[in-house]
Amino acid sequence: MRISRVFVGGFLFVALLVVGFILLLRSCLARYDERTALAPVLYFEKNGKAVLFSLVQYDKTNNYSSRGGITSKSVSSSYFIQQNDPVSGVRTAEEKVKHHSDIKYHPVETMGASKELAWVFIGELMAFDPFTLEKKADIALLENKNPALKGQFPEERRFYLFNDDDQQVYFTANDGSKWQLNTTTLLATPTHYDPEKAPQDAAVQQVEKLQQQNRAAQDSLYKNEYPATLYAKGQITEQEYRCRMTLYASQQKDLYKQRDSLNDVLSALRSRAFHERQRQSAIRNLQRARPSYAQTKTNQDTMVGKWYGLYAVEEWDKLYNRVQHQSTYDETARGQLYLSTYTPSRNGDLLIEKEQATLLSPSSYFLHGGFLLDKTTAMPIRLADPRGYLVVYKDKIGREGKIVLSRLNEQGKPGWTFATGLTEWIDWRYTGKQLFILGADNRELSGTQANALFCIDLTTGKANRYDYFTDRK
């Protein structure tokens, strides 16, 4: 009996020693763990409550070594969904979704926000309630809703498209058929949706048909009604010839007038379609995580009948007089705000009245600056009450230059200024009252991993920061 007690006691001692060693080892390795947000962050409002939704990757370190300046470690990755307060930025809830070993196809990413659901791809198409973090959709649930598509939902991310304009999911089924998934009812219907097609394309085709009809009418008029031909054949008298010639000239004039009008309409429609395709392309580029600094901004815009431009003197002298949304790339240019008017051209373009331009606030300069774009529209963020813009610029030239954000009024005066401390942004989201910025200032991170979340009040400029890496405000 005594030997048995000694054996049991010794076993418990060894077991506790092993457990203690494991806990000690785990506590040592824990400082090498990483928690990062995977852009973008999504914003939701419902019944007076607002939340931020994000997808978080947690890398738990299993082994770590550093020799000769070379660091290596092995990690075990898990993916969580997380809810944050949009004012303070603090984490309010989280739920584990999947372990890395459960995921066959990558990337893992947030796709977009519909009216009430956050849509993500974590090895499969999924949706969650951002307020409760309850799962509302995955492939099994979608197949249950759409029995005809059982086994047809694709496994790879590249076959799904979340459209921010209508907040619907478009996908290509395994058999190649095209579908639209209603993000409210979760019901799928066949579609011929083409993301490359502009809304004006249908109108362009209709006008082209009218042009064909106009040409046919001109040909028919000449072939069947031209008086000189009938008179030469002796089919009409000279008096009748003169009468018919007057009528013919009037009909021909009307057809020419219609032709010219159709040409003008078609030119304007094609111009709008071209600009719309450019805008849609810009939106798709902005939706990609970690766009370049130059892609976050544009250097001119129109608002309430006025034209605003942010240019250095040398850029202004070379500026073409057509209104167009584009970013300047000279990182040493000290931009200033110009104000002018614009007029429409015959083909639908807007032309800047450069000769009438005035320089607002001559003492204010913005290094490599521009108007911040709304990622959902690829257009400058236009503030109200009072009207103005959000301007981004750098605090110094070179790669180490950090982004500064300012609210600018219509007179070119900065209202408030906030230094983000980031050389580039991974993501940002505008809600009308707030701006949320995702970035990385932790040297351990790379790619689209983000640790810093800024929640900025656009009225006061007050900002709160949350760090995903440390899980601290």
Side-chain angles (χ1 to χ4, degrees), residues 43-44 50-52 84-90 434 436 455-456 464:
Y43 175 81
F44 294 88
V51 297
L52 287 174
N84 287 67
D85 180 81
V87 177
S88 66
V90 298
Q434 287 180 280
F436 304 103
C455 305
I456 305 171
N464 287 313

Side-chain angles (χ1 to χ4, degrees), residues 343-363:
T343 56
S345 67
R346 183 177 177 181
N347 66 355
D349 288 333
L350 302 178
L351 302 180
I352 308 164
E353 302 286 351
K354 287 188 67 177
E355 296 76 11
Q356 300 179 16
T358 56
L359 181 61
L360 300 177
S361 189
S363 61

Side-chain angles (χ1 to χ4, degrees), residues 252 255 269 330 382 388 428:
Q252 187 181 54
L255 287 172
L269 283 173
D330 184 357
R382 296 159 183 163
W428 67 97

